[in-house]
Amino acid sequence: MTEQRPRTRIQKRNTAAIFEAALEVFSQHGFRGATLDQIAKAAGLSKPNLLYYFPSKEAIHVALLSKLMDTWLDPLRALDADGEPIEELLAYVRRKLQMSRDFPRESRLFANEIVQGAPRMIAAIEGELKALVDEKAALIEGWIAAGKIAAVHPYHLIFSIWSLTQHYADFDVQVRAILGGETVDPFPQAEEYLETLFTRLLSPVTGQV
Amino acid sequence: MTEQRPRTRIQKRNTAAIFEAALEVFSQHGFRGATLDQIAKAAGLSKPNLLYYFPSKEAIHVALLSKLMDTWLDPLRALDADGEPIEELLAYVRRKLQMSRDFPRESRLFANEIVQGAPRMIAAIEGELKALVDEKAALIEGWIAAGKIAAVHPYHLIFSIWSLTQHYADFDVQVRAILGGETVDPFPQAEEYLETLFTRLLSPVTGQV
DNA sequence: CGTAATCCTGACCATTTGGTCAAACTTATT
DNA sequence: AATAAGTTTGACCAAATGGTCAGGATTACG
């Protein structure tokens, strides 16, 4: 098997199990920290069987990253030129924060990879991701030019949305440790805070000198 | 040698070299991804000699983390109750962004550790760090109560300062890849953007319904 | 139902890696 | 200069790890 789509029922089941296991293990330990044995065990397969489906550890990692990339960018893709600008951006922030809540492993997988220089992702970042960001940054500049939102550097606006929302997934342990008791769910507070932040940042400054 | 301070001239020189090398290697590859051979080579020592100064790889990592922790928190410690609130917070943001620019390896070292659940740092986070944040959060609440800054959740304000500034160190590759040409230095733009962001966020809302 | 294709495994291998140790070499001290 | 204390190293080891392979089990299919 190389990189074709799964054909048989068994292939479907097992590659799905492998992706799930790899996500769990890679996101928790990083590429180097993960072992094939861990992944195999988590997937309920033997190590040789794992390597029957993917030629190497690296191949699993790469396949996983590229599989998740698409989903990961959906919230940004959904930023709609025809919507009300501030509400569109706030909705993007909300969607992104949900991703942190619902898919923290995906967030950590990417975080691990990028912190270490994105050796297996740099092409996708410079290509696909950059293209999408360029497009949306242009859209944002349009909104600024039209006076719909306050003037801010569009690329850094996007960076700030990423960093603020992903922080709650990537640094989850720290957030929870500092907020104290396990009773607290940080996400509702975070949502309120971020809504305030971006509302104040983006509301056009009217009647100012 | 256990964990005492270096005594002799040679010990001083070599432990310094080890810390520098360990910072370089651990921040780039994470704990698991780093090898003793890499660290030894970067420090200009043989592996057994490295282990003459530290009993294990883990001991090096722990010693490095705890050594850097202090410096890392200095910008927050410097938040001054007697200063002008908004200017104090903006200055904190600026200091923190400088740290990202000047000490990206330190930032990545912590990022690597925390993303993976902070196994070797959780105690320091729950202790020292939490205590400091609690103190400063109280200070911020005081400013809010006094009407000096707009009402925001103080803990999330601090989280947002961390995430926004550290993003430029931890996700440096991504930031540069998306901004395009290597000619661009992201930091001046980032500084301007963050100043705008926090000014708008924190300025007390006067004369509003 | 027979056979080809697919799937799975135990045994095995080479390399990497964290760590040890005895002995040799330096440096400081008297 | 003698000697003690501190420093360094080559050789070595056991465990972990990524990966291979020949053959056996299972499944799909005409």
Side-chain angles (χ1 to χ4, degrees):
Chain A
M1 246 194 73
T2 49
E3 310 107 55
Q4 279 101 43
R5 312 257 130 250
R7 284 144 209 271
T8 78
R9 190 183 349 147
I10 295 177
Q11 272 176 48
K12 228 173 190 169
R13 186 207 339 130
N14 284 348
T15 52
I18 291 170
F19 277 131
E20 163 63 26
L23 173 58
E24 184 70 24
V25 176
F26 280 134
S27 70
Q28 212 165 111
H29 304 287
F31 178 75
R32 192 62 162 41
T35 73
L36 286 178
D37 286 293
Q38 284 176 306
I39 298 172
K41 192 180 171 188
L45 301 174
S46 67
K47 188 167 58 166
N49 200 13
L50 187 75
L51 290 165
Y52 170 73
Y53 290 97
F54 289 91
S56 68
K57 181 181 172 183
E58 176 144 5
I60 301 175
H61 195 240
V62 170
L64 181 64
L65 286 173
S66 84
K67 185 199 162 201
L68 294 178
M69 187 69 144
D70 247 37
T71 325
W72 200 243
L73 297 183
D74 276 344
L76 181 52
R77 275 200 207 90
L79 193 72
D80 184 4
D82 299 327
E84 203 280 305
I86 291 194
E87 189 41 49
E88 277 299 317
L89 288 164
L90 288 179
Y92 174 41
V93 171
R94 256 178 258 122
R95 284 194 297 272
K96 205 79 188 38
L97 187 61
Q98 289 242 347
M99 303 274 290
S100 283
R101 185 209 315 245
D102 299 339
F103 306 105
R105 297 178 305 174
E106 284 80 347
S107 188
R108 279 185 215 118
L109 181 78
F110 289 123
N112 262 308
E113 180 69 7
I114 297 174
V115 168
Q116 295 184 15
R120 277 165 282 275
M121 250 182 67
I122 190 68
I125 292 174
E126 287 172 342
E128 203 185 337
L129 178 57
K130 179 166 168 26
L132 178 62
V133 173
D134 283 343
E135 179 203 324
K136 297 304 181 181
L139 169 58
I140 293 169
E141 291 214 79
W143 286 341
I144 293 172
K148 302 282 191 179
I149 63 173
V152 292
H153 194 302
Y155 287 88
H156 289 266
L157 172 61
I158 292 172
F159 294 154
S160 70
I161 294 174
W162 290 350
S163 76
L164 286 168
T165 54
Q166 290 174 12
H167 187 82
Y168 290 98
D170 302 343
F171 290 71
D172 183 70
V173 238
Q174 195 182 55
V175 167
R176 287 178 195 273
I178 286 178
L179 288 179
E182 307 88 53
T183 40
V184 197
D185 176 7
F187 284 93
Q189 301 173 2
E191 185 168 343
E192 196 199 316
Y193 176 78
L194 294 184
E195 177 152 342
T196 305
L197 187 151
F198 283 107
T199 303
R200 292 199 188 150
L201 172 65
L202 295 173
S203 295
V205 192
T206 57
Q208 193 139 305
V209 186
Chain B
M1 247 194 70
T2 49
E3 310 107 57
Q4 279 101 44
R5 310 259 133 249
R7 281 139 214 273
T8 76
R9 192 184 346 150
I10 294 177
Q11 272 176 48
K12 228 173 192 170
R13 186 206 340 130
N14 284 346
T15 51
I18 291 170
F19 276 131
E20 163 63 25
L23 173 58
E24 183 69 24
V25 176
F26 280 134
S27 69
Q28 213 166 110
H29 304 286
F31 178 75
R32 193 59 162 41
T35 72
L36 286 179
D37 286 293
Q38 284 176 306
I39 299 172
K41 192 180 171 187
L45 300 175
S46 67
K47 188 168 58 168
N49 200 12
L50 187 74
L51 291 165
Y52 169 73
Y53 290 98
F54 290 91
S56 69
K57 181 182 171 182
E58 177 144 4
I60 300 175
H61 196 239
V62 170
L64 181 64
L65 286 172
S66 85
K67 186 200 162 202
L68 294 178
M69 189 68 145
D70 247 37
T71 325
W72 200 243
L73 297 182
D74 276 344
L76 181 53
R77 275 201 207 89
L79 194 71
D80 184 4
D82 299 328
E84 202 281 306
I86 291 193
E87 187 42 47
E88 276 300 317
L89 287 165
L90 288 179
Y92 174 43
V93 172
R94 256 178 258 123
R95 283 194 297 272
K96 206 76 187 40
L97 187 61
Q98 285 233 359
M99 303 274 290
S100 282
R101 186 208 314 245
D102 299 338
F103 306 105
R105 296 179 305 175
E106 284 80 347
S107 188
R108 279 185 215 119
L109 180 80
F110 288 122
N112 261 308
E113 180 69 7
I114 297 174
V115 168
Q116 295 185 13
R120 278 165 281 276
M121 252 181 66
I122 190 68
I125 291 175
E126 286 171 343
E128 202 184 338
L129 177 58
K130 179 168 168 24
L132 178 62
V133 173
D134 283 343
E135 180 203 323
K136 298 304 182 182
L139 169 57
I140 293 170
E141 292 214 78
W143 286 340
I144 293 172
K148 302 282 192 179
I149 63 174
V152 291
H153 195 303
Y155 286 89
H156 289 266
L157 172 60
I158 292 172
F159 294 153
S160 69
I161 294 174
W162 290 350
S163 75
L164 287 167
T165 55
Q166 290 174 13
H167 187 81
Y168 291 99
D170 301 344
F171 291 72
D172 183 69
V173 237
Q174 195 181 55
V175 167
R176 287 178 196 272
I178 287 178
L179 289 179
E182 306 88 54
T183 41
V184 197
D185 176 8
F187 284 92
Q189 301 173 2
E191 184 167 344
E192 195 198 317
Y193 176 78
L194 294 183
E195 177 152 341
T196 305
L197 187 153
F198 283 106
T199 302
R200 293 199 187 150
L201 172 65
L202 296 172
S203 297
V205 192
T206 58
Q208 195 137 305
V209 186

